[in-house]
Amino acid sequence: MSSRSLIVLPDESSKPFLDAINAAKKSLQVKMFVFSDPGLLNAVIAAHQRGVKVRVMLNAARRDGEDDNEEVRKALERSGIEVKDSNPDFGITHEKSMVVDEVIAFVKSLNWATKNLSETRDYAITTTHPHGVSEVIACFDADWHRQEFKPGLSAHLIWCPANGRERIAQFIDNAKHTLFIQNERYQDTVIIERLVRARERGVKIHLMARPPHALKKEKIIEGIGGLRIMDDVGIKVHKLKHLKLHGKMLLADGLHAIVGSINLAPGSFDDRRELAIEVHDDDIVDRLHNIARHDWEHSYPLDLTDEGLFVDLEQHGQGGSEKLVLRMDNAHEKKHKK
């Protein structure tokens, strides 16, 4: 019988992924934005050494030349494993997926970096549903061979660039009572509009984001602008305590959820290879609801006032307040200069 399950990080650490890799008998395919964890690297190499057919696709160097995967790429190649850079048709391949023996697929928000296994709130969904597994394999093969992947309107999974914006917008539109959302970035105007409309029709929205200073300077205007618009209409915007937020999760009415790699930003929808999955399984949704409520209880509101943003950007980050044309009162300005 086909099934799905939920993995929550950092609670479960790398064990579910190591167990799956160690159990592989025939094949293993991995597509990853950042792959640097030594334990997972050793497990993949060991799978190859015992005869498993292993293929690994890694995001290529970024536009600024930074290459997160250089060392692991070399280690895999030295071990005789087939490795390719991701499809150059996309600015970035941000998808994080794995398929074992062509029967179980992992759709993840986390990178295979040690910090994502031990320090960040992240998620993964495993599925043995044949239609989902076959889509992950088909996209991997298409990107591997530099061919076009067309999941179509009837796709079971959520893909970017393809049906990502439409599926997430529809998910928000269908919410009737509550929305819990965890995401690093809220920059896409279509999604922001849908959230504002959901709030206006009475949906109670709990939105969790990274602090403003975590945004890149060139993304400050749209990133913080979106948060302030939602704050202005009464959407609660919080920051997680004690853990870094990296997961991308939407939960509607305690009945439906989306988990994957997609940030709510135009680049993710239009220029990046991304993957997410929508689930309705009672056990998964119930656990996500418990995690969301726990995280909300261990969070605090973001201060999105001019003064609050100035402090966050200038004292905790790399600056950028001038881009938002922030104005402080004289008392605060004197206090800051001290």
Side-chain angles (χ1 to χ4, degrees):
M1 179 181 293
S2 299
S3 64
R4 298 187 185 95
S5 64
L6 172 68
I7 300 167
V8 180
L9 282 301
D11 306 37
E12 298 176 61
S13 69
S14 60
K15 186 177 186 304
F17 311 108
L18 291 171
D19 288 348
I21 296 167
N22 293 336
K25 294 179 173 60
K26 297 178 181 179
S27 64
L28 177 68
Q29 67 175 51
V30 176
K31 189 188 290 185
M32 194 58 55
F33 178 58
V34 176
F35 185 175
S36 59
D37 182 72
L40 289 168
L41 171 61
N42 291 335
V44 170
I45 292 173
H48 167 72
Q49 291 173 341
R50 66 174 183 269
V52 175
K53 179 178 173 56
V54 179
R55 292 188 297 167
V56 178
M57 194 181 310
L58 300 174
N59 185 65
R62 305 188 196 194
R63 292 187 179 94
D64 62 4
E66 183 180 357
D67 189 347
D68 301 290
N69 299 311
E70 183 177 5
E71 292 185 12
V72 162
R73 185 184 292 106
K74 290 178 180 177
L76 292 169
E77 289 172 343
R78 286 195 301 267
S79 300
I81 292 174
E82 289 187 87
V83 188
K84 274 193 178 182
D85 283 346
S86 52
N87 191 334
D89 285 348
F90 309 110
I92 283 176
T93 287
H94 197 238
E95 174 187 345
K96 306 98 161 45
S97 67
M98 176 172 72
V99 179
V100 178
D101 292 337
E102 298 190 354
V103 295
I104 180 168
F106 289 65
V107 178
K108 298 171 282 187
S109 68
L110 68 142
N111 292 299
W112 276 5
T114 305
K115 67 178 181 180
N116 288 125
L117 299 163
S118 59
E119 300 176 14
T120 64
R121 170 64 75 223
D122 263 302
Y123 303 97
I125 297 287
T126 72
T127 179
T128 61
H129 287 249
H131 48 252
V133 175
S134 64
E135 281 186 25
V136 179
I137 293 172
C139 182
F140 187 97
D141 286 340
D143 286 348
W144 185 268
H145 297 292
R146 309 314 196 220
Q147 297 170 349
E148 189 174 5
F149 173 64
K150 296 182 178 180
L153 296 177
S154 60
H156 294 279
L157 302 180
I158 303 171
W159 296 97
C160 298
N163 61 359
R165 182 182 282 111
E166 179 182 355
R167 286 283 296 274
I168 291 177
Q170 183 180 38
F171 183 90
I172 295 168
D173 289 346
N174 290 340
K176 294 179 173 58
H177 307 292
T178 60
L179 274 169
F180 281 92
I181 305 178
Q182 295 182 345
N183 205 281
E184 289 183 274
R185 292 189 279 152
Y186 300 81
Q187 297 168 1
D188 188 77
T189 53
V190 172
I191 300 303
I192 292 168
E193 176 195 25
R194 290 310 209 281
L195 289 169
V196 168
R197 290 187 177 192
R199 174 68 179 86
E200 292 301 305
R201 67 174 183 270
V203 177
K204 188 175 183 180
I205 301 175
H206 297 77
L207 189 152
M208 196 166 286
R210 294 282 295 277
H213 70 256
L215 293 168
K216 294 180 179 179
K217 273 192 175 183
E218 63 269 22
K219 299 295 182 182
I220 282 177
I221 293 175
E222 58 263 47
I224 295 176
L227 293 177
R228 294 185 97 178
I229 288 169
M230 292 187 287
D231 182 62
D232 285 345
V233 300
I235 294 175
K236 297 179 179 180
V237 183
H238 279 213
K239 177 191 179 295
L240 184 62
K241 292 180 182 177
H242 310 307
L243 281 177
K244 294 179 181 179
L245 177 63
H246 184 261
K248 300 93 172 70
M249 187 272 288
L250 298 90
L251 176 66
D253 300 327
L255 298 172
H256 319 280
I258 290 176
V259 169
S261 68
I262 305 172
N263 282 307
L264 302 178
S268 293
F269 290 124
D270 300 325
D271 188 47
R272 296 184 173 192
R273 171 65 79 211
E274 305 271 13
L275 171 62
I277 185 171
E278 183 173 349
V279 295
H280 313 278
D281 312 64
D282 290 343
D283 56 337
I284 293 177
V285 171
D286 288 347
R287 189 177 177 204
L288 282 173
H289 190 256
N290 290 335
I291 292 290
R293 292 187 67 86
H294 171 274
D295 285 353
W296 192 257
E297 291 168 1
H298 294 82
S299 68
Y300 59 85
L302 283 177
D303 186 350
L304 297 171
T305 64
D306 281 11
E307 186 173 342
L309 286 170
F310 186 93
V311 170
D312 185 81
L313 293 171
E314 300 298 331
Q315 293 186 5
H316 302 297
Q318 303 298 317
S321 61
E322 71 285 351
K323 290 179 176 288
L324 299 172
V325 197
L326 298 178
R327 295 181 175 86
M328 299 183 300
D329 58 46
N330 291 333
H332 180 78
E333 187 173 5
K334 292 177 182 177
K335 180 180 178 182
H336 177 68
K337 286 181 177 178
K338 290 180 182 180

